[in-house]
């Protein structure tokens, strides 16, 4: 073999193996890590996935494009809206349909709200991973307000499937804009509390600084995107690099940290919440009047060809690859989900550390297991 | 000073005399033991259950929520309902566990915490035994519990339990030093190891006030070290829910689990009570020399209210720790003890010895 | 590099290259034998510098299997799609690229799991999602599962 793999795991028959998961409080779902321990130190980690593999890609091959929307919700359920947006934009681009500006603005607003909600939940769970149990309730308290906005406009809270190829399923509620403004006003006041409770805590800082360092080259080679990649200085924000929806019209910063440790990944997400609020403030008053959906045929048939759409979910880059043979169902749909790539760096960055650090590092990768397994 | 209205010595003497006059001395002692046993079991259960409830309420307060509020008024009977549930739960048998040690471990843990209450002076004359080496006894007994934890981890035949137990062992052995040295500082001040003697020595002011800076340092070290010794957050590495699922008691269910759970809360009560007795004057009221009017008013507050008030204050501080701090890592935990607390403590002891020698404390 | 320059460079490096029509990206269809060589050149040449493999997907076109590599350069910001096809349905195999882009290791395991396409020299080619004792490759068009899949 030509290449030398430095980080390939070499198993030994007298290794002390311990199973972490699939039912473990800090794997955030049904993921299994096979750990080899030497005392408290983790020698290597083999992730085993597939416990929640539902064959979404296979199911997509039997479904029409409108139906696929309801499956994409279910992989990264915390950024459900953004997943739908990816498929919708892919289909619209393939059909060369121009969606109304109003749709683009609303999509961007919901996507950013979704990103904040996702980061809030991550913050809750990350605190729990480190043993700071109070963070959970602080985060959920604020996340509730976003879900209330969703509920009022779209009837459901987590997976609202409001995007569809061509636009939105329903128009926004009259209170939508006011509620968002109220939320931003509230959250600007509350977000510093997150820092007071966790970021500035000495124990938290010694637990997270310098832990699980990921170099930029590794991040690119392993395809680690999203806040994890940006924590290592990998400029991978699709919103900046390949703008879609209304991102080209707003002014925001791509948060980049170069340390690449757990604390950098943490800071990226906290800063991203501030940036998302900035984006929301720019958009919420300027939603153009117009139709909430483009005119679409009831049966969507994509032209023959291959279409790819990249979007930035709360966890990283989501790619939707549609191969169409001209029928009303796709020939092949591939989802390049962010967590899939983010997960497999764990052996590289967490081996050699303590078990407690493994928990912190996997928490900082913000894993959503259905997103890995699909 | 006048404590006579709240002096329990005559009350206990009266019971002793009454029993001795009606039966032979051997039987009298047996009956006394039974009475004390029953009183302590009841006390243990009530304190244990209500500490669990208190913790849930305090944690709810810190976390912006209500806490238990369905069973009884403001959730008063919640933990009793929990206890009934735990009593009725199935005791899961582990196939390859060491059955004898597995079943023995929860009893060791709970007996160790039981033995410690015996020496606590709740009020003047209200204690089971007044050993002349009371502090030494408490110190010895409170570290017995770790044997139970180690046994439970080892006998469960579970890797998570084993890691938790070994962590706990390392932790308790290390922090025992700091607890002991912090208590030793007050022994130097008061010149006795007898708990009642230590309390009496604080009649004109608590050691944390009389001993000023070194006593405050000792108190803070004791607070940190005893939180660690009871395996409570932020030092709950032995359980470490997010890392080891439940650590040493992963495999326990039903009432055996409840034993560990109760013992944890009782240990917290015991260390809080020791802190209250040794540093905060035990059942002694708050006195300021020269302010006779206020001192007399203070004397009318019953001593056990003083004792429990101080204990609850220390318990609340420990709960506050748990619900705001993230967990330490094992190496950081040991670094904290061996590199910071222990050297500071040793220097503090030297300082206190010097201060006592020179008489630079409030007498 | 512009697409035309890339086209020129790629056809210099390997023989038998086709550029199928693709509105979005420059797509390169080329014989599977030169996969590893081309991938290595694309990654290591400083003018192309494709350091980021953002998607690797297997496709079953009915008669043929294909593996599609979506590449991007994080420094030069150009994109390229590589595609290799095989007619061999019983024992499809390609060279691995997981020494070039580490993320490919798990993408290839996924493709192996769901399509049965083997990747030569892969360090750890096991099933990723499905259990080890699963029979068949579910994303193949000729996969039949009468129990669980309802034909409409």
């Amino acid at each position: 073999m030509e290449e030398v793999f430095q980080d390939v795991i070499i198993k030994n028959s007298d290794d002390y193996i311990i199973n972490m998961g699939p039912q473990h409080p800090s794997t955030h779902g049904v993921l299994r890590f096979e750990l080899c321990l030497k005392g408290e130190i983790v020698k290597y980690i083999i992730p085993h996935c597939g416990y929640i593999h539902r064959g979404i890609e296979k199911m997509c091959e039997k479904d029409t494009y409108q139906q696929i929307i309801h499956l994409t919700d279910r992989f990264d359920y915390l950024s459900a809206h953004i997943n739908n947006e990816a498929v919708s934009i892919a289909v619209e681009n393939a059909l060369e349909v121009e969606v109304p500006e109003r749709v683009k603005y609303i999509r961007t607003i919901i996507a950013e709200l979704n990103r904040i909600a996702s980061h809030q939940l991550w913050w809750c769970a990350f605190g729990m991973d480190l043993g700071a149990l109070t963070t959970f309730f602080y985060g959920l308290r604020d996340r509730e307000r976003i879900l209330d906005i969703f509920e009022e406009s779209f009837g459901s809270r987590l997976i609202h499937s409001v995007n569809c190829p061509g636009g939105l399923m329903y128009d926004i509620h009259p209170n939508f804009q006011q509620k968002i403004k109220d939320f931003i006003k509230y959250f600007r006041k509350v977000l510093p509390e997150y820092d007071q409770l966790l970021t500035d805590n000495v124990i938290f800082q010694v637990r997270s600084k310098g832990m699980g360092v990921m170099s930029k080259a590794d991040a690119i080679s392993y395809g680690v995107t999203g806040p994890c990649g940006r924590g290592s200085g990998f400029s991978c924000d699709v919103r900046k690099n390949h703008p879609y929806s209304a991102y080209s019209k707003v002014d925001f910063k791509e948060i980049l940290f170069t340390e690449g440790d757990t604390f950098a990944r943490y800071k990226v997400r906290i800063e991203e919440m501030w940036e998302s609020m900035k984006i929301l403030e720019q958009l919420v008053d300027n939603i153009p009047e117009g139709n909430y959906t483009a005119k679409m045929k009831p049966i969507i048939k994509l032209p023959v060809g291959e279409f790819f759409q990249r979007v930035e979910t709360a966890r990283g880059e989501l790619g939707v690859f549609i191969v169409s043979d001209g029928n009303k169902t796709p020939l092949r749909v591939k989802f390049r989900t962010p967590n899939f790539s983010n997960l497999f760096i764990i052996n590289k960055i967490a081996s050699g550390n303590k078990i407690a650090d493994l928990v912190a590092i996997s928490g900082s990768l913000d894993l959503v297991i259905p997103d890995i397994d699909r | 000073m006048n404590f006579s209205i709240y002096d329990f010595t005559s009350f206990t003497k009266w019971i002793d005399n009454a029993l001795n006059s009606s039966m032979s001395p051997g039987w009298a002692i047996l009956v006394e033991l039974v009475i004390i046993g029953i009183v302590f079991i009841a006390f243990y259960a009530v304190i244990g259950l209500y500490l669990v409830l208190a913790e849930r309420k305090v944690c709810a307060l810190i976390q912006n929520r209500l806490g238990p509020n369905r069973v009884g008024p403001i959730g008063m009977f919640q933990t009793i309902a929990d206890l009934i549930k735990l009593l009725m739960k199935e005791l899961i048998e582990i196939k390859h566990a060491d059955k004898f040690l597995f079943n023995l471990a929860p009893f060791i843990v709970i007996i160790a915490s039981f033995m410690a209450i015996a020496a606590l002076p709740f009020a003047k004359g209200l204690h089971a035994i007044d050993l002349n080496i009371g502090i030494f006894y408490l110190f010895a007994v409170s570290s017995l519990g770790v044997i139970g934890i180690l046994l439970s981890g080892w006998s469960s035949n579970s890797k998570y339990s084993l890691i938790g137990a070994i962590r706990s062992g390392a932790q308790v052995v290390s922090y025992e030093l700091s607890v002991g040295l912090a208590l030793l500082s007050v022994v130097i001040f008061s010149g006795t190891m007898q708990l009642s003697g230590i309390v009496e020595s604080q009649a004109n002011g608590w050691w944390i006030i009389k001993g000023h800076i070194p006593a405050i340092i000792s108190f803070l070290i004791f607070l940190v070290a005893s939180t660690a010794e009871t395996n409570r957050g932020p030092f709950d590495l032995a359980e470490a829910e997010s890392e080891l699922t439940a650590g040493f008691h992963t495999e326990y269910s039903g009432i055996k689990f409840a034993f560990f759970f109760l013992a944890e809360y009782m240990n917290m009560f015991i260390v809080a009570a020791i802190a209250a007795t040794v540093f905060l004057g035990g059942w002694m009221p708050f006195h300021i020399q020269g302010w006779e009017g206020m001192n007399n008013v203070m004397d009318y507050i019953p001593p056990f209210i003083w004792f429990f008030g101080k204990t609850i204050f220390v318990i609340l501080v420990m709960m506050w720790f748990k619900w705001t701090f993230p967990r330490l890592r094992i190496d950081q935990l040991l670094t904290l003890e061996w590199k910071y607390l222990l050297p500071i403590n040793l220097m503090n002891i030297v300082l206190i010895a010097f201060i006592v020698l020179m008489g630079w404390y409030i007498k | 590099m512009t697409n035309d320059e890339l086209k020129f460079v790629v056809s210099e490096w390997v023989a038998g290259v086709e550029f199928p029509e693709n509105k979005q990206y420059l797509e390169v269809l080329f014989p599977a034998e030169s996969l590893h060589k081309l991938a290595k050149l694309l990654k290591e040449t400083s003018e192309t510098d494709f350091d980021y493999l953002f998607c690797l997907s297997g496709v079953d076109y009915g008669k043929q299997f294909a593996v599609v590599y979506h590449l991007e350069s994080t420094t030069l910001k150009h994109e390229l799609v590589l595609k290799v096809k095989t007619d061999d349905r019983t024992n499809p195999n390609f060279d691995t690229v997981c020494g070039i882009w580490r993320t490919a290791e798990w993408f290839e395991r996924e493709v192996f799991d769901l399509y049965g396409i083997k990747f030569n020299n892969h360090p750890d080619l096991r099933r990723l999602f499905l259990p080890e004792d699963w029979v068949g490759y579910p994303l193949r068009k000729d996969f039949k599962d009468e129990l669980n899949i309802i034909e409409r």
Side-chain angles (χ1 to χ4, degrees):
Chain A
M1 195 192 282
E2 288 172 56
E3 292 90 19
V4 185
F5 300 110
Q6 272 112 5
D7 45 353
V8 163
I9 293 158
I10 299 144
K11 284 198 188 181
N12 211 330
S13 57
D14 53 354
D15 283 346
Y16 186 77
I17 301 290
I18 185 165
N19 255 328
M20 194 163 153
Q23 280 89 25
H24 189 281
S26 61
T27 52
H28 299 272
V30 281
L31 175 69
R32 178 159 78 96
F33 288 132
E34 189 183 327
L35 309 181
C36 170
L37 295 185
K38 190 166 188 290
E40 283 269 339
I41 294 173
V42 180
K43 272 166 79 185
Y44 58 75
I45 305 139
I46 306 175
H48 291 266
C49 31
Y51 289 90
I52 193 165
H53 179 61
R54 293 148 296 178
I56 283 184
E57 287 171 7
K58 181 80 179 168
M59 280 146 86
C60 287
E61 292 177 10
K62 304 268 176 200
D63 287 338
T64 64
Y65 294 99
Q66 287 98 328
Q67 286 169 328
I68 288 176
I69 293 300
H70 303 281
L71 296 173
T72 55
D73 276 341
R74 267 83 179 165
F75 41 78
D76 182 2
Y77 46 81
L78 293 178
S79 31
H81 173 91
I82 311 176
N83 298 344
N84 292 344
E85 200 177 355
V87 180
S88 305
I89 296 174
V91 172
E92 284 151 15
N93 285 351
L95 291 171
E96 293 172 349
V97 173
E98 187 58 41
V99 293
E101 282 293 294
R102 183 181 177 79
V103 174
K104 289 187 180 174
Y105 272 69
I106 295 173
R107 273 181 183 171
T108 313
I109 289 172
I110 308 171
E112 288 311 310
L113 282 176
N114 218 321
R115 193 182 315 278
I116 295 178
S118 169
H119 285 346
Q120 281 167 341
L121 189 72
W122 159 81
W123 185 78
C124 303
F126 188 52
M128 292 276 279
D129 283 345
L130 291 169
L133 302 155
T134 301
T135 60
F136 198 76
F137 293 90
Y138 274 62
L140 282 190
R141 173 193 68 188
D142 306 332
R143 180 169 174 265
E144 210 56 16
R145 300 200 172 218
I146 296 180
L147 299 190
D148 285 344
I149 298 173
F150 289 159
E151 189 182 11
E152 192 179 49
S153 270
F154 315 121
S156 56
R157 294 161 70 82
L158 187 66
I159 331 182
H160 35 73
S161 298
V162 69
N163 261 322
C164 61
L168 303 171
M169 293 224 185
Y170 351 86
D171 208 351
I172 49 172
H173 192 274
N175 288 344
F176 188 68
Q177 280 147 296
Q178 189 52 46
K179 278 263 174 94
I180 290 175
K181 277 186 254 176
D182 291 346
F183 168 75
I184 294 171
K185 211 170 138 205
Y186 165 78
F187 197 50
R188 276 193 183 279
K189 245 191 1 254
V190 183
L191 195 46
E193 271 184 19
Y194 288 29
D195 288 341
Q196 288 163 15
L197 187 62
L198 197 60
T199 320
D200 298 342
N201 191 306
V202 186
I203 299 178
F204 171 73
Q205 297 213 356
V206 293
R207 282 290 306 274
S208 60
K209 275 188 180 160
M211 283 303 140
V213 179
M214 186 197 320
S215 69
K216 186 182 173 185
D218 277 339
I220 296 173
S221 180
Y222 278 82
V224 179
T225 53
C228 310
R230 289 196 282 280
S232 303
F234 173 23
S235 159
C236 55
D237 197 332
V238 185
R239 296 176 293 172
K240 270 274 187 243
N241 297 342
H242 307 277
Y244 55 96
S245 289
Y247 285 113
S248 51
K249 298 184 185 70
V250 289
D251 169 45
F252 67 102
K253 244 187 12 238
E254 180 180 8
I255 311 292
L256 280 179
F257 278 75
T258 46
E259 289 89 347
D261 56 358
T262 305
F263 192 69
R265 294 191 278 276
Y266 173 89
K267 282 297 276 182
V268 168
R269 291 196 178 88
I270 296 283
E271 296 292 320
E272 267 190 13
M273 287 198 254
W274 289 105
E275 287 302 313
S276 291
M277 280 196 284
K278 245 198 249 168
I279 297 174
L280 285 174
E281 274 172 343
Q282 290 171 43
L283 293 176
V284 73
D285 278 329
N286 304 322
I287 301 177
E289 290 302 313
N291 208 339
Y292 61 86
T293 176
K295 227 173 156 48
M296 297 290 279
K297 291 192 188 115
I299 293 171
I300 297 175
K301 283 186 181 172
L302 292 201
V304 182
E306 294 172 7
F307 312 97
F308 200 94
Q309 179 61 40
R310 305 162 75 177
V311 297
E312 179 77 17
T313 74
R315 266 154 210 82
E317 178 178 331
L318 173 76
V320 178
F321 179 48
I322 301 177
V323 182
S324 168
D325 54 356
N327 281 327
K328 62 179 179 180
T329 59
L331 182 81
R332 161 85 166 122
V333 182
K334 156 88 187 174
F335 298 107
R336 182 258 189 239
T337 48
N339 270 323
F340 182 83
S341 300
N342 290 3
L343 166 69
F344 291 106
I345 196 152
I346 189 129
N347 181 49
K348 176 110 182 164
I349 61 176
S351 56
N353 287 323
K354 307 251 174 348
I355 312 174
D357 292 328
L358 168 68
V359 171
I361 291 165
S362 79
S364 76
L365 292 178
D366 193 10
L367 301 174
V368 168
I369 311 309
D371 196 34
I372 298 164
D373 287 358
R374 301 192 292 280
Chain B
M1 273 178 228
N2 175 26
F3 297 121
S4 59
I5 44 167
Y6 296 123
D7 191 345
F8 288 85
T9 321
S10 54
F11 174 66
T12 45
K13 274 278 179 304
W14 175 73
I15 296 177
D16 189 39
N17 290 336
L19 285 170
N20 271 318
S21 60
S22 59
M23 55 185 81
S24 68
W27 279 105
I29 284 178
L30 193 69
V31 171
E32 278 170 11
L33 286 179
V34 168
I35 292 172
I36 290 168
I38 289 170
V39 167
F40 272 156
I41 286 178
F43 174 76
Y44 195 100
V46 170
I47 291 283
L49 289 179
Y50 279 90
L51 275 180
V52 176
L53 184 71
E55 166 122 292
R56 291 172 70 173
K57 281 287 186 191
V58 168
C59 122
L61 187 76
I62 291 173
Q63 298 178 340
N64 295 317
R65 55 194 178 87
L66 291 172
N69 65 346
R70 281 291 175 272
V71 190
I74 58 162
M76 291 284 281
F77 306 130
Q78 177 66 47
T79 41
I80 296 172
D82 285 346
L83 184 73
I84 294 168
K85 182 201 75 176
L86 284 169
L87 276 170
M88 295 198 299
K89 274 187 110 170
E90 184 192 356
L91 293 171
I92 294 166
E93 298 245 321
I94 315 289
K95 214 172 184 181
H96 297 292
D98 186 327
K99 291 259 161 40
F100 175 69
L101 293 181
F102 184 75
N103 293 326
L104 181 68
F107 291 98
I108 293 184
V109 172
I110 209 157
I111 287 169
S113 65
F114 232 116
M115 284 161 79
I117 320 179
L120 293 177
F122 294 99
K124 192 175 172 65
L126 200 64
H127 40 63
I129 30 170
D130 187 18
L131 292 167
N132 57 356
I133 46 160
I135 282 203
F136 188 66
Y137 169 79
L138 278 178
F139 183 46
V141 161
S142 65
S143 55
L144 275 180
V146 72
I147 296 173
I149 290 175
L150 279 170
L151 281 183
S152 73
W154 184 77
S155 65
S156 295
N157 191 28
S158 155
K159 289 173 180 174
Y160 282 119
S161 301
L162 187 61
I163 294 173
I166 288 172
R167 277 182 179 186
S168 176
Q171 183 180 336
V172 173
V173 168
S174 312
Y175 278 85
E176 198 78 342
L177 285 169
S178 279
V179 171
L181 288 174
L183 291 178
L184 208 58
S185 64
V186 172
V187 173
I188 297 176
F189 272 131
S190 61
T192 172
M193 278 182 133
Q194 196 168 14
L195 282 164
S196 60
I198 289 174
V199 176
E200 295 287 356
S201 73
Q202 305 181 65
N204 58 346
W206 306 344
W207 278 122
I208 195 162
I209 297 162
K210 287 204 295 182
H212 54 88
I213 298 164
I216 291 170
I217 294 173
S218 284
F219 179 67
L220 292 178
I221 290 175
F222 180 80
L223 213 57
V224 173
S226 61
T227 313
E229 209 200 332
T230 49
N231 285 333
R232 279 182 59 80
F235 308 103
D236 56 343
L237 287 112
E239 288 173 41
E241 189 211 348
S242 62
E243 295 153 29
L244 307 176
T245 58
F248 61 90
H249 59 62
T250 309
E251 306 293 344
Y252 285 88
S253 65
I255 194 67
K256 284 187 215 159
F257 163 74
F259 278 3
F260 281 116
F261 199 61
L262 272 182
E264 184 194 325
Y265 283 93
M266 281 318 289
N267 284 332
M268 180 167 72
F269 175 79
I270 289 160
V271 294
I274 295 172
T277 308
V278 171
F279 293 99
L280 304 177
W283 45 263
M284 276 293 169
F286 183 68
H287 282 171
I288 297 174
Q289 271 170 325
W291 295 28
E292 288 305 323
M294 192 194 80
N295 290 354
N296 285 335
V297 173
M298 290 293 179
D299 284 344
Y300 279 96
I301 301 172
F304 49 84
I305 289 195
W306 279 109
F307 175 79
F308 280 106
K310 291 166 189 172
T311 308
I312 286 167
F313 166 75
V314 178
I315 287 174
L316 287 179
V317 170
M318 287 169 75
M319 285 179 178
W320 180 35
F321 280 175
K322 167 155 184 171
W323 296 108
T324 40
F325 283 135
R327 188 183 303 116
L328 282 158
R329 206 172 58 210
I330 183 75
D331 58 325
Q332 291 164 348
L333 179 93
L334 298 179
T335 308
L336 175 69
E337 162 65 19
W338 293 101
K339 289 199 180 154
Y340 298 98
L341 292 188
L342 192 61
I344 292 173
N345 221 333
L346 287 170
M347 282 195 286
N348 199 31
I349 292 278
V350 175
L351 182 68
I352 287 171
F354 186 67
I355 282 175
V356 171
L357 194 69
M358 305 299 285
W360 287 347
Y361 62 100
I362 305 162
K363 291 191 190 82
Chain C
M1 265 188 173
T2 61
N3 282 355
D4 288 332
E5 285 169 327
L6 278 175
K7 263 186 195 176
F8 177 73
V9 168
V10 170
S11 34
E12 284 274 285
W13 281 336
V14 286
V17 191
E18 290 171 48
F19 299 100
E21 198 190 332
N22 188 327
K23 279 179 196 152
Q24 214 171 352
Y25 301 117
L26 173 66
E27 189 174 322
V28 184
L29 178 65
F30 61 98
E33 304 87 72
S34 39
L35 171 63
H36 191 270
K37 181 185 156 207
L38 180 61
K40 209 170 171 63
L41 281 168
L42 284 171
K43 164 84 186 287
E44 283 168 8
T45 312
S46 56
E47 286 83 51
T48 49
D49 194 23
F50 283 104
D51 50 358
Y52 175 33
L53 172 77
F54 64 87
C55 192
L56 189 159
S57 18
V59 185
D60 183 359
Y61 286 102
K63 288 200 183 73
Q64 289 173 310
F65 286 122
V67 178
V68 187
Y69 303 81
H70 288 77
L71 301 175
E72 190 188 16
S73 165
T74 55
T75 48
L76 306 168
K77 305 283 177 199
H78 49 215
E79 289 149 321
L80 185 70
V81 178
L82 303 184
K83 194 189 257 180
V84 283
K85 288 190 176 180
T86 177
D87 290 324
D88 186 357
R89 284 193 76 84
T90 49
N91 186 24
N93 64 83
F94 297 107
D95 284 339
T96 180
V97 294
C98 68
I100 303 166
W101 301 286
R102 293 294 289 125
T103 182
E105 183 177 336
W106 294 278
F107 276 122
E108 284 174 356
R109 270 179 71 185
E110 189 196 349
V111 172
F112 167 72
D113 189 0
L114 303 175
Y115 283 100
I117 297 172
K118 289 194 180 59
F119 291 90
N120 309 327
N121 298 335
H122 190 287
D124 185 23
L125 199 62
R126 286 177 294 129
R127 283 196 182 270
L128 183 61
F129 296 139
L130 303 178
E132 295 286 331
D133 53 355
W134 182 278
V135 183
Y137 300 103
L139 275 182
R140 287 187 179 188
K141 290 289 174 197
D142 51 8
F143 178 77
K144 289 273 182 296
D145 183 353
E146 274 146 19
L147 211 62
N148 296 315
I149 298 179
I150 301 159
E151 292 295 331
R152 274 179 293 206

